[in-house]
Amino acid sequence: MAKNQNSIQHGDDLIVFDNIYKIYEMGDTEVRAADGISFSVKRGEFVAIVGQSGSGKSTCMNIIGALDVPTSGEYYLDGVDVSTLNDNKLADIRNKMLGFIFQQYNLIPKLTVLENVELPLLYAGVPKRKRREAALKSLERVGLTEKAKNLPSQLSGGQQQRVSIARALAGNPSVILADEPTGALDSRTGREVLEFLQQLHSEGNTIVLITHDNSIAVKAQRIIRLQDGKVVYDGPSNVPEALVNPDIPIELQKNEAGGDA
Amino acid sequence: MGIGQSFILAIKSLLNNKMRAFLTMLGIIIGVGSVILIMSLGNGVTTEISDTFESMGTRTVSVTLMGRGSNRTFTDDEMYEFAEENSDVIKAVTPTVNVSATVRPERWNENLSTSITGVGEDWLTVKTYETARGRFISYMDIYARNKVCFVGAYFDSPEVYNGNAVGSTLKINGDVYTIIGVAEEITDASDEDGSDNFAVIPYTVAARLSRMGNINSYTLISVSDETVNAAKQRMSNRLYENYGDEDAYAVIALAEILDTVTEIMDTLVTVIAAIAAISLLVGGIGIMNIMLVSVTERTREIGIRKALGAKRRDIKSQFVIEAMTTSLIGGVFGILLGVFGARIAGKLMNMPAVPSLSSIVLSVGISVGIGVLFGYLPAKKASELNPIDALHHD
Ligand SMILES: Nc1ncnc2c1ncn2[C@@H]1O[C@H](COP(=O)(O)OP(=O)(O)O)[C@@H](O)[C@H]1O
Ligand SMILES: [Mg+2]
C-alpha cells in the first residue's frame, strides 16, 4: 500500500486501536459493543482475541477487517487511518492488506477452487495470467493443487478451509484475519488448520485470530481478552493469567466454550 | 472485474437454471419476435404495393374531369394540343374510358371477366407496354371509329386463341370486334384474373358504347421521373384556366399516391410494432424480478466478494451484465423466432416478408438496453448491501 497523506509512523506497529468505540443506539438504550478499546499489534505477531459471546469480538474483527468503521477512536493499519475512509477505500484496504479466513469458509459455490482463490487478485486488477499463476502457487502452499478445477462442494470441510486460507494468502496481505477458523471443523482437522496458521506465523505473517475457545487461543503468541466491549487482559498466552478472568473462578472458565455468533 | 468474466459468470448462472432462464427470457423473446415479424410483414406489404405502383408507372399522371361547378368543357382535341405544347415534360397522353361491357370470344357461350378500356393511339407508350403480334390501334381506327381491339397476352394463351388471336374476333356487348394486335406478356398470360386479361378499343368507340358525350379521363406519361411534378403542375394550371374552379378536375401523380401509401404503411407498422414492444416492457420487468430474486439468493456471495475487495461498481456491473446477458440471449432467440415466423407467414401470404437488417440491429440494441435498464435497480441494490450483514446471510 502506498503511503498516503494521513499515514503516520507507528514504528513496528501494524495494527493500532486507539480508544475505539462502537456504539449501537437501540431506541432509548445504547449498546457499547466496543467501549474504548486500545491495543496494538506488531508486524509478525500472532494474536488471539478471545471473549465470551457478546463481549465484542465480532465488532473488533469487523473494524480490523475494514468491514466497518468505529463510532469514535482511531484505527491505523500499517500507518493508514482506516477509521475515516469511505466505502471504496475500505474495499481497497480489504483487498490489498487483509486476508480473511471465515468459520464457514465462505467459498463461492459455483466457482472452481482456483477461481475462488483468484478472487482477491481479480478485484486487485491483476491480469489473468499472473492471477492464475499466483493462485496456483497459493494452492500449492496449502497442498491442494490437484483440486484446482474442482468445485468447493466436492471437497471436505478441512480442504475447503485450506482453500479459503489459500485465497487469504493469494494477495500477499499484511494481516491474516481468522474468524473462528476451526469452528466448523472436527477437532483433528481443526488442529491441522491451527498448525498451518502457526506455520504461516513462523514464516513471518501477522495473524489475528478471533475465537471464543481458550484451548484454541493458547496456540497464539499473545491473547487479548474482551469483556463487555473492554480489554480485560492483554499479554502472553503462556502464563496462567492469560486464562484467568478476574470475575470467574478458573474451573468455570474451562467451560467457557459455548454458543457464539 | 472484467466484462468478459462477468459475461461468462452470467452464462454459467443461466445454464445452471435453464427453465428459469427460459421463463425470464420469454417476454423478451416474444417481444423481439413479434416486433421483427410485424416489421417484416410490413416491409413485405409495402414492397408489394410499391411494386404494383411502379409497374403502373411512377411517371404517370392521371387526370379526371368532373366539370362540376362550371359550364365549360375541355375536349380531347384541347388535351392533345396541350400535350403537344408541353412536350418537354409530357411524353404522351391517352384518354382512358372505362367501359363496363360483356366480352365473349368466338364460339364461346360464356363471358370473360376482361377489363375493357377506350384509349388513344399512344396508350402503349403511356403504359410502357410492347406489342407481341399484330399492331396497335391507329389514329385512323380512332377517327373512323373502327370496331377493332388490341388485347392482352391472355387471349393468345391456350386458354383462349392459343397463338391465333390476331385476326380472330371478340364480341363486346354483342358487337363483333376484330383483334388487331396482342401485347407482350406482363405477369402471367394464363391467369384470367391477372393483368394480361385486358382489351382496349378506340376511345371514340368506347365513348359511344358508354354513351359518354365528352371524354373525362386521361392518363399522361411524363418524360422522366423528374418532370412528373412539372407535368402535373402545368396540367392543373391549364385546367384551372379552363374551368376557373379547382373542384372541376383532379390531377394526380401516381408517385404521390405511392408516397402517401408508403407513409401510411410505415406509420401503421410503427404503431403495431410499438404495441408489440409493450411485451418487451413486460419482459424487462420479468428480468428485473428475477434479478431481485437472484440478488437475495446470492447475498452471501455478494458479502464474500465485498470482503475480498469488490467495490460497489464491481458488484453493480456484475449484475447489470448478467441482466444484459439474459436479455441479449432472449433477444437473439426472439430474432430467430421473428425471422422464422416471417418466413412462414410470408410463404402463407405469398409475399416477400424479409426482416430488415435495421430491425434486427434495433432489436439487439433494445434487448441490451432493457437488460441494462431493468438490471440496474437490482444491481444497485446488490452493490449497496452491507458486507457484514451480507456475510451472515444464509
Ligand atoms: N448491529 C448491531 N446492532 C445492535 N447491537 C449490536 C450489533 N452488533 C453487535 N451488537 C451488540 O454488541 C455487543 C457485542 O457484539 P459482538 O461484537 O457480536 O460480540 P461477540 O462477537 O463477542 O459475540 C453485543 O451485545 C451485541 O448484541
Ligand atoms: Mg461474534
Side-chain angles (χ1 to χ4, degrees):
Chain A
M1 175 94 197
K3 293 238 183 292
N4 63 21
Q5 269 119 356
N6 52 357
S7 76
I8 46 166
Q9 281 312 114
H10 283 270
D12 256 358
D13 290 342
L14 191 54
I15 294 172
V16 175
F17 255 42
D18 187 4
N19 214 15
I20 293 283
Y21 285 85
K22 184 74 189 182
I23 299 167
Y24 294 105
E25 306 279 352
M26 308 282 284
D28 301 338
T29 58
E30 55 171 39
V31 178
R32 290 170 172 242
D35 196 8
I37 297 179
S38 299
F39 62 82
S40 54
V41 177
K42 287 192 180 5
R43 208 176 294 276
E45 266 193 295
F46 184 179
V47 181
I49 297 178
V50 292
Q52 286 170 297
S53 178
S55 58
K57 302 184 299 293
S58 294
T59 304
C60 276
M61 127 111 197
N62 290 338
I63 294 173
I64 296 171
L67 290 162
D68 202 0
V69 289
T71 311
S72 72
E74 280 166 353
Y75 164 39
Y76 294 94
L77 179 58
D78 203 8
V80 179
D81 183 1
V82 180
S83 36
T84 58
L85 296 182
N86 66 22
D87 258 25
N88 270 348
K89 294 264 170 57
L90 288 175
D92 245 348
I93 296 275
R94 292 197 289 272
N95 183 241
K96 306 238 163 57
M97 303 184 68
L98 293 156
F100 288 91
I101 301 168
F102 301 98
Q103 178 173 4
Q104 298 299 336
Y105 332 130
N106 278 342
L107 301 173
I108 295 178
K110 59 178 192 250
L111 298 184
T112 64
V113 162
L114 186 64
E115 285 167 339
N116 265 290
V117 176
E118 275 183 45
L119 274 178
L121 303 167
L122 178 70
Y123 290 119
V126 176
K128 193 172 171 97
R129 281 261 306 271
K130 279 195 170 169
R131 215 157 68 202
R132 197 120 289 193
E133 237 168 69
L136 277 171
K137 204 170 282 175
S138 203
L139 271 180
E140 200 183 325
R141 285 184 76 181
V142 299
L144 284 173
T145 318
E146 75 280 11
K147 299 287 186 197
K149 297 271 179 253
N150 287 63
L151 289 176
S153 55
Q154 297 165 323
L155 272 59
S156 72
Q159 288 173 322
Q160 290 190 49
Q161 192 58 300
R162 271 149 68 197
V163 173
S164 95
I165 294 172
R167 182 178 65 187
L169 294 174
N172 235 337
S174 315
V175 178
I176 290 167
L177 196 53
D179 181 21
E180 303 278 7
T182 60
L185 301 172
D186 62 67
S187 54
R188 195 176 63 85
T189 350
R191 216 175 311 123
E192 277 170 22
V193 167
L194 280 176
E195 276 159 19
F196 193 76
L197 287 180
Q198 282 174 317
Q199 188 197 321
L200 289 176
H201 170 231
S202 68
E203 289 166 7
N205 288 289
T206 312
I207 298 172
V208 177
L209 170 71
I210 312 259
T211 182
H212 66 278
D213 188 341
N214 282 316
S215 64
I216 285 166
V218 292
K219 301 281 197 252
Q221 210 181 7
R222 171 182 160 198
I223 285 180
I224 297 174
R225 178 175 300 281
L226 297 180
Q227 190 180 319
D228 297 332
K230 291 189 171 75
V231 176
V232 292
Y233 175 83
D234 183 354
S237 62
N238 58 357
V239 295
E241 295 93 311
L243 296 178
V244 173
N245 182 322
D247 298 333
I248 300 174
I250 222 162
E251 314 80 67
L252 288 178
Q253 281 185 55
K254 300 269 194 253
N255 299 330
E256 197 181 303
D260 183 29
Chain B
M1 183 149 78
I3 286 181
Q5 173 95 5
S6 302
F7 186 72
I8 291 166
L9 263 182
I11 303 242
K12 266 192 193 168
S13 68
L14 290 177
L15 287 178
N16 266 344
N17 208 332
K18 295 191 192 73
M19 191 60 185
R20 178 156 123 184
F22 174 71
L23 291 175
T24 308
M25 289 172 186
L26 201 55
I28 303 285
I29 294 176
I30 292 174
V32 167
S34 48
V35 168
I36 290 199
L37 177 66
I38 289 163
M39 288 178 82
S40 307
L41 291 178
N43 274 348
V45 173
T46 309
T47 312
E48 194 105 305
I49 291 175
S50 49
D51 281 356
T52 308
F53 272 87
E54 252 142 47
S55 75
M56 289 161 76
T58 49
R59 289 184 288 152
T60 308
V61 177
S62 63
V63 180
T64 311
L65 308 177
M66 289 82 84
R68 200 186 301 139
S70 170
N71 43 22
R72 300 280 318 260
T73 53
F74 191 73
T75 64
D76 44 346
D77 289 339
E78 283 173 296
M79 179 58 91
Y80 277 114
E81 202 175 300
F82 166 79
E84 210 153 294
E85 282 165 9
N86 294 283
S87 58
D88 56 326
V89 294
I90 295 169
K91 189 173 174 196
V93 64
T94 175
T96 39
V97 181
N98 288 318
V99 179
S100 62
T102 57
V103 177
R104 186 178 294 192
E106 288 166 35
R107 288 191 294 276
W108 279 39
N109 39 25
E110 57 181 309
N111 295 330
L112 281 172
S113 62
T114 310
S115 73
I116 306 270
T117 316
V119 301
E121 71 268 25
D122 289 329
W123 184 78
L124 271 187
T125 314
V126 172
K127 297 296 274 188
T128 64
Y129 291 166
E130 302 284 338
T131 307
R133 288 171 212 269
R135 63 171 180 89
F136 192 66
I137 296 163
S138 69
Y139 176 69
M140 273 313 296
D141 294 325
I142 290 161
Y143 184 75
R145 297 198 170 96
N146 290 335
K147 291 221 164 77
V148 293
C149 64
F150 178 86
V151 295
Y154 174 67
F155 288 89
D156 237 354
S157 75
E159 312 283 325
V160 194
Y161 288 124
N162 200 11
N164 298 315
V166 177
S168 303
T169 59
L170 280 183
K171 266 191 179 165
I172 299 177
N173 264 10
D175 290 339
V176 176
Y177 286 70
T178 308
I179 298 175
I180 52 168
V182 182
E184 292 270 14
E185 184 179 53
I186 301 164
T187 48
D188 178 8
S190 62
D191 182 8
E192 191 188 338
D193 300 319
S195 38
D196 284 292
N197 180 8
F198 67 84
V200 293
I201 57 177
Y203 73 91
T204 46
V205 178
R208 275 223 175 143
L209 202 59
S210 54
R211 295 185 178 77
M212 200 194 292
N214 198 31
I215 308 301
N216 59 14
S217 172
Y218 295 88
T219 307
L220 316 181
I221 186 158
S222 134
V223 172
S224 70
D225 283 344
E226 285 69 44
T227 55
V228 175
N229 275 333
K232 186 194 158 200
Q233 202 52 52
R234 289 192 210 170
M235 185 77 248
S236 300
N237 292 348
R238 175 71 184 81
L239 291 172
Y240 188 77
E241 229 169 71
N242 187 70
Y243 290 108
D245 184 349
E246 279 180 12
D247 291 337
Y249 59 89
V251 182
I252 296 163
L254 269 183
E256 259 177 10
I257 301 179
L258 177 59
D259 284 352
T260 313
V261 170
T262 311
E263 221 166 89
I264 292 173
M265 274 306 295
D266 284 352
T267 315
L268 206 65
V269 168
T270 310
V271 169
I272 301 174
I275 293 170
I278 290 175
S279 69
L280 285 176
L281 190 73
V282 177
I285 293 170
I287 286 180
M288 177 149 79
N289 180 44
I290 214 72
M291 289 308 294
L292 284 170
V293 171
S294 171
V295 168
T296 309
E297 283 174 351
R298 285 152 68 190
T299 300
R300 198 182 177 91
E301 173 190 328
I302 295 162
I304 297 168
R305 287 178 183 274
K306 284 199 150 188
L308 298 179
K311 298 193 167 75
R312 282 183 185 203
R313 63 158 187 272
D314 295 320
I315 302 293
K316 211 188 293 180
S317 73
Q318 181 188 338
F319 280 88
V320 166
I321 288 171
E322 187 165 327
M324 205 179 76
T325 307
T326 309
S327 178
L328 181 64
I329 292 174
V332 170
F333 281 127
I335 289 170
L336 293 179
L337 182 75
V339 170
F340 196 66
R343 280 240 169 132
I344 292 174
K347 279 244 169 74
L348 290 177
M349 297 160 85
N350 193 22
M351 62 177 199
V354 190
S356 64
L357 184 67
S358 64
S359 69
I360 290 174
V361 171
L362 192 74
S363 306
V364 171
I366 286 179
S367 23
V368 169
I370 281 178
V372 173
L373 193 70
F374 288 92
Y376 186 80
L377 186 80
K380 189 165 142 61
K381 197 182 149 200
S383 75
E384 284 168 359
L385 286 175
N386 177 342
I388 300 171
D389 299 337
L391 272 173
H392 290 114
H393 192 271
D394 40 26

